[in-house]
Amino acid sequence: MSENRIVRAAAVQIAPDLDRPEGTLERVLNAIDAAAAKGARFMVFPETFVPYYPYFSFVLPPALQGAEHLRLYERAVAVPGPVTDAVSAAARRHGAVIVLGVNERDHGSLYNAQLVFDADGTLALKRRKITPTYHERMVWGQGDGAGLTVVETAVGRVGALACWEHYNPLARYALMARHEEIHAAQFPGSLVGQIFADQMEVTIRHHALEAACFVVNATGWLTDEQVAQVCPDERLRGACRGGNCTAIVSPEGRHLAEPLGPGEGILIADMDLALVTKRKRMMDSVGHYARPELLSLLHDDRPASFVHRPTRSQHQSRSLDHEQFPASDEPSHASAGHVGSGRDADGTPDQRVAILRR
């Protein structure tokens, strides 16, 4: 139940260390200590904060991105690994739930990952952004439906989305349907300008109202020196400024503290989880206000798999195909390429069958 629980939240808006990946981790650990000293038990950091958001992909043409992209590969986070070990220890030391955005490296691919550490240091959730946005598609792979979930933590039921995933109403509904109480939102910050901050503010307040949950949103920040480092061309530097709206919003859509604009800081506010029920009494989007017989969500929540084992029926189908069309025989024109046969038009096994039939 959400009654009689007050959770102090911290939304962290600080600059990364663009030169030393261990420097960004140090900044994270220092901010955790600072927020904990103020009594925070739930902390959110910006999108892919460790080692840094790939701002280069927004200002450099593809032909010039190679060196920066490879540098990000070298500095990206292994999960589990030294970064997760350090943050896990900090969460356990302070008894705090921490949501950290990282560039995750999984062998030959990078992903925009959100990590939720419970107060005992357990990694309660690792999810990947399901659709990288615009320039980000040059950098990250796609996540899967398994990450669209909510986890029970020491502070309540927590879900997370990154940046423009908040413009996907079905992704948000997947979390709402799992009765999210506290939502962690992460944006890059220092991007696009004030219009980005204005749109973000509308988006997170709307999710708070519609989901009847608290939203703790963290955006990143770049110093003037870092903007110049990312954008050697002065004409492009405006693209890496603004876009800051670090905020904490109640289920009634109210800011619980003045949002942070440009600059560094840690926003602190108390969340009274009794407001979740107060809001849902009037409008529960996944309860008395829903019409599932008319409108519902189909969600494939299986982890992505690149290898599929054939089912028994597929084994049988292939056996029948082999009997009907021995290796020495040519298949008839009528059956060539038929999906049910498990073969392409040239007689080779149809690799789509495992996906279409599972």
Side-chain angles (χ1 to χ4, degrees), residues 69-83:
H69 199 182
L70 287 172
R71 186 175 293 112
L72 186 59
Y73 265 85
E74 294 169 359
R75 300 175 175 184
V77 175
V79 181
V83 169

Side-chain angles (χ1 to χ4, degrees), residues 87-131:
V87 178
S88 173
R92 185 167 55 251
R93 183 168 63 253
H94 294 296
V97 176
I98 299 169
V99 184
L100 180 67
V102 303
N103 289 272
E104 180 198 2
R105 180 172 180 175
D106 187 353
H107 298 282
S109 293
L110 299 180
Y111 296 93
N112 177 335
Q114 295 176 292
L115 310 179
V116 179
F117 297 87
D118 207 347
D120 62 358
T122 302
L123 181 58
L125 176 67
K126 182 195 80 172
R127 68 169 304 270
R128 295 167 173 173
K129 189 174 184 178
I130 55 175
T131 304

Side-chain angles (χ1 to χ4, degrees), residues 221-270:
W221 166 252
L222 293 178
T223 66
D224 288 342
E225 293 76 17
Q226 289 175 324
V227 171
Q229 182 178 347
V230 171
C231 305
D233 187 340
E234 292 185 11
R235 296 171 298 176
L236 298 178
R237 291 177 185 172
C240 288
R241 297 187 189 277
N244 296 102
C245 183
T246 290
I248 302 174
V249 182
S250 80
E252 298 175 318
R254 295 190 305 109
H255 287 287
L256 298 181
E258 186 68 24
L260 294 178
E264 291 191 304
I266 300 178
L267 195 66
I268 302 288
D270 289 333

Side-chain angles (χ1 to χ4, degrees), residues 6-197:
I6 295 178
V7 176
R8 179 159 293 183
V12 180
Q13 181 170 295
I14 54 177
D17 188 325
L18 298 181
D19 301 313
R20 299 185 310 122
E22 64 273 17
T24 301
L25 177 58
E26 290 168 6
R27 301 219 70 199
V28 168
L29 298 176
N30 289 339
I32 292 172
D33 290 343
K38 297 180 180 181
R41 293 190 61 223
F42 182 73
M43 309 173 190
V44 179
F45 287 83
E47 182 179 11
T48 58
F49 187 67
V50 182
Y52 44 75
Y53 178 82
Y55 293 100
F56 66 84
S57 64
F58 192 61
V59 297
L60 293 179
L64 300 181
Q65 290 183 21
E68 288 297 331
H69 199 182
L70 287 172
R71 186 175 293 112
L72 186 59
Y73 265 85
E74 294 169 359
R75 300 175 175 184
V77 175
V79 181
V83 169
T84 59
D85 289 347
V87 178
S88 173
R92 185 167 55 251
R93 183 168 63 253
H94 294 296
V97 176
I98 299 169
V99 184
L100 180 67
V102 303
N103 289 272
E104 180 198 2
R105 180 172 180 175
D106 187 353
H107 298 282
S109 293
L110 299 180
Y111 296 93
N112 177 335
Q114 295 176 292
L115 310 179
V116 179
F117 297 87
D118 207 347
D120 62 358
T122 302
L123 181 58
L125 176 67
K126 182 195 80 172
R127 68 169 304 270
R128 295 167 173 173
K129 189 174 184 178
I130 55 175
T131 304
T133 303
Y134 191 47
H135 58 287
E136 296 171 351
R137 296 177 191 178
M138 297 290 294
V139 178
W140 298 318
Q142 294 182 319
D144 58 34
L148 291 174
T149 191
V150 170
V151 290
E152 191 73 52
T153 73
V155 297
R157 296 182 61 78
V158 173
L161 293 174
C163 201
W164 278 15
E165 286 187 310
H166 292 88
Y167 289 154
N168 187 328
L170 300 182
R172 294 192 301 104
Y173 196 81
L175 303 187
M176 293 159 59
R178 289 165 173 78
H179 310 294
E180 182 183 46
E181 294 177 308
I182 303 173
H183 178 80
Q186 297 174 313
F187 286 76
S190 284
L191 207 65
V192 180
Q194 184 58 38
I195 189 172
F196 194 30

Side-chain angles (χ1 to χ4, degrees), residues 214-350:
F214 289 89
V215 176
V216 181
N217 183 58
T219 59
W221 166 252
L222 293 178
T223 66
D224 288 342
E225 293 76 17
Q226 289 175 324
V227 171
Q229 182 178 347
V230 171
C231 305
D233 187 340
E234 292 185 11
R235 296 171 298 176
L236 298 178
R237 291 177 185 172
C240 288
R241 297 187 189 277
N244 296 102
C245 183
T246 290
I248 302 174
V249 182
S250 80
E252 298 175 318
R254 295 190 305 109
H255 287 287
L256 298 181
E258 186 68 24
L260 294 178
E264 291 191 304
I266 300 178
L267 195 66
I268 302 288
D270 289 333
M271 304 183 299
D272 182 355
L273 270 70
L275 291 179
V276 172
T277 301
K278 181 180 178 183
R279 170 66 178 167
K280 287 194 172 185
R281 182 181 72 86
M282 299 296 293
M283 201 283 295
D284 185 357
S285 294
V286 292
H288 61 78
Y289 211 73
R291 291 293 305 275
E293 78 281 11
L294 303 178
L295 303 165
S296 60
L297 171 65
L298 175 63
H299 175 197
D300 185 349
D301 61 358
R302 293 172 297 180
S305 176
F306 298 97
V307 179
H308 301 278
R309 300 188 65 180
T311 64
R312 182 186 300 272
S313 62
Q314 289 161 5
H315 271 301
Q316 293 171 343
S317 174
R318 292 176 183 179
S319 298
L320 291 172
D321 288 342
H322 182 71
E323 292 174 5
Q324 185 175 1
F325 305 119
S328 60
D329 294 341
E330 289 293 329
S332 69
H333 176 75
S335 60
H338 188 272
V339 171
S341 71
R343 296 179 182 275
D344 288 324
D346 63 359
T348 58
D350 184 352

